[in-house]
């Protein structure tokens, strides 16, 4: 099982980024997949989830209307489209199956997002 996140970078406030997470060793179609983030000095928090039925849920009020989670099951890839980025969105972003059924304690390397002027 492997998760490889990419797409992060340095962006000005108001900018956009699209994060990708490629899964290998399992089929994401069978699992709810989530994006998490960890800001400097803070605990990792759940950002958004897409279910196996393509339902979506945004767990942070601060990202609603700005972030969109999606997936391509043919590519075993989960995306996080982030618009109107704010400095508080800064952190390392990770993806994972929502309940850890397949990844257990494993986390990918994450992708760094920095929002700064």
């Amino acid at each position: 099982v492997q998760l490889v996140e990419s797409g992060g970078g340095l962006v000005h406030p108001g900018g956009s980024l699209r994060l990708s997470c490629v899964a290998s060793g399992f089929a994401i179609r069978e699992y709810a997949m989530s994006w998490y983030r960890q800001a400097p000095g803070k605990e990792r928090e759940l950002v958004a989830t897409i279910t196996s039925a393509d339902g979506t849920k945004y767990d942070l009020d601060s990202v609603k209307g700005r972030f969109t989670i999606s997936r391509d099951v043919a590519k075993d890839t989960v995306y996080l489209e982030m618009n109107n980025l704010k400095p508080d969105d800064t952190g390392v972003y990770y993806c994972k199956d929502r309940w850890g059924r397949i990844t257990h304690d494993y986390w990918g390397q994450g992708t760094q997002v920095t929002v700064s002027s």
Side-chain angles (χ1 to χ4, degrees):
V1 170
Q2 188 174 28
L3 297 164
V4 179
E5 300 93 345
S6 63
L10 173 63
V11 63
H12 293 305
S16 299
L17 287 173
R18 188 192 195 204
L19 307 184
S20 299
C21 169
V22 179
S24 58
F26 70 102
I28 66 167
R29 70 173 72 243
E30 299 178 12
Y31 299 91
M33 297 294 295
S34 296
W35 282 96
Y36 296 78
R37 72 183 183 191
Q38 186 166 21
K42 296 186 178 180
E43 293 188 354
R44 193 174 289 158
E45 58 186 354
L46 178 63
V47 176
T49 298
I50 185 164
T51 71
S52 57
D54 280 333
T56 58
K57 183 174 185 287
Y58 299 90
D59 293 88
L60 293 177
D61 287 341
S62 62
V63 309
K64 291 178 181 177
R66 299 189 298 121
F67 289 13
T68 302
I69 187 171
S70 63
R71 63 178 188 164
D72 184 336
V73 297
K75 297 181 179 179
D76 280 323
T77 301
V78 186
Y79 303 99
L80 187 67
E81 184 79 32
M82 306 187 296
N83 298 311
N84 190 20
L85 282 161
K86 305 176 186 297
D88 284 348
D89 295 319
T90 294
V92 181
Y93 285 70
Y94 304 86
C95 75
K96 191 174 176 66
D97 65 305
R98 175 63 180 93
W99 306 110
R101 293 175 183 169
I102 190 70
T103 57
H104 305 294
D105 294 333
Y106 166 81
W107 292 84
Q109 86 288 348
T111 186
Q112 175 71 49
V113 172
T114 303
V115 185
S116 175
S117 54

